[in-house]
Amino acid sequence: MDGPLAGPFDSLEALAEHTCELMTRQPGASSGPYGMEYCALHYFSQKEQAYYLSYLSDLGGSRPNGDKYCFIPSSLNDPSHPDALILGGDHSHPHNRRFSPRDLSAATIRYPTRIVDQGTGKVLHRQLLMLYREKNGECRAYAFDHVNRVVSALRSGAWVPIGDVPNDQGHIELRPGQDWVP
């Protein structure tokens, strides 16, 4: 399909909140160990100075150990935004609110990790977003910044750093007083 599924949004935070609601309400996206992951791309229009979400992909499955996965699209089909800068992938987790070591490993980092908006000189970081819906219906969004290797949780509309990934294997070290839930 052509064009964005969602957007424009004036901030990555607003896009992440909307994306969490959208992706975790897909069939099976919040069904625990029997569920499935959905993937997408988020991107930035230099002309509009706005963030967008691509169409969703449910291509994937389960690994022998039971871990779910989906294939994050590698390209964008949005002729209305030829100036789009792909900032990263997004995926839902049907069974837990934590990035896996695979999600945070050096193998998942998209290069270059920084992209410059040629019109404004603004430096944008590539990030992987992960989305999870709690059993009580609350949606949680997390980001892994590929530049500074920090994991953040979206809380009250702002990114709060909760952990660091100091190695290429993707093992997170939570910061003092921080956890996956507030």
Side-chain angles (χ1 to χ4, degrees), residues 42-84:
H42 62 276
Y43 55 103
F44 182 76
S45 168
Q46 297 174 83
K47 180 180 176 190
E48 296 179 22
Q49 293 292 295
Y51 295 85
Y52 291 88
L53 180 70
S54 73
Y55 281 91
L56 305 181
S57 167
D58 63 356
L59 299 175
S62 296
R63 292 187 172 82
N65 67 359
D67 287 351
K68 307 296 181 182
Y69 69 92
C70 60
F71 294 109
I72 293 177
S74 59
S75 62
L76 183 64
N77 188 16
D78 185 354
S80 63
H81 296 102
D83 63 335

Side-chain angles (χ1 to χ4, degrees), residues 28-37 66-69 92-98 100 132-133 135:
S30 297
S31 298
Y34 301 104
M36 60 188 293
E37 285 191 6
D67 287 351
K68 307 296 181 182
Y69 69 92
S92 61
H93 272 189
H95 56 289
N96 69 57
R97 72 180 70 78
R98 298 170 186 210
S100 69
Y132 176 75
R133 182 170 298 280
K135 295 201 182 318

Side-chain angles (χ1 to χ4, degrees), residues 34-175:
Y34 301 104
M36 60 188 293
E37 285 191 6
Y38 288 85
C39 287
L41 293 171
H42 62 276
Y43 55 103
F44 182 76
S45 168
Q46 297 174 83
K47 180 180 176 190
E48 296 179 22
Q49 293 292 295
Y51 295 85
Y52 291 88
L53 180 70
S54 73
Y55 281 91
L56 305 181
S57 167
D58 63 356
L59 299 175
S62 296
R63 292 187 172 82
N65 67 359
D67 287 351
K68 307 296 181 182
Y69 69 92
C70 60
F71 294 109
I72 293 177
S74 59
S75 62
L76 183 64
N77 188 16
D78 185 354
S80 63
H81 296 102
D83 63 335
L85 300 173
I86 297 174
L87 298 180
D90 313 288
H91 71 291
S92 61
H93 272 189
H95 56 289
N96 69 57
R97 72 180 70 78
R98 298 170 186 210
F99 281 109
S100 69
R102 184 185 303 257
D103 289 335
L104 304 177
S105 72
T108 66
I109 294 178
R110 293 182 73 137
Y111 293 97
T113 57
R114 293 175 181 90
I115 303 170
V116 176
D117 175 349
Q118 297 299 319
T120 65
K122 178 179 178 179
V123 177
L124 302 163
H125 290 199
R126 288 197 195 251
Q127 297 186 39
L128 174 66
L129 300 183
M130 191 272 293
L131 314 149
Y132 176 75
R133 182 170 298 280
E134 299 283 353
K135 295 201 182 318
N136 68 5
E138 187 176 353
C139 208
R140 299 203 187 275
Y142 302 92
F144 173 51
D145 187 304
H146 290 187
V147 175
N148 58 31
R149 301 188 55 81
V150 168
V151 173
S152 298
L154 188 60
R155 297 185 176 152
S156 301
W159 292 113
V160 174
I162 64 168
D164 300 286
V165 182
N167 56 55
D168 289 345
Q169 291 75 39
H171 299 291
I172 185 171
E173 293 178 0
L174 290 175
R175 292 182 176 188

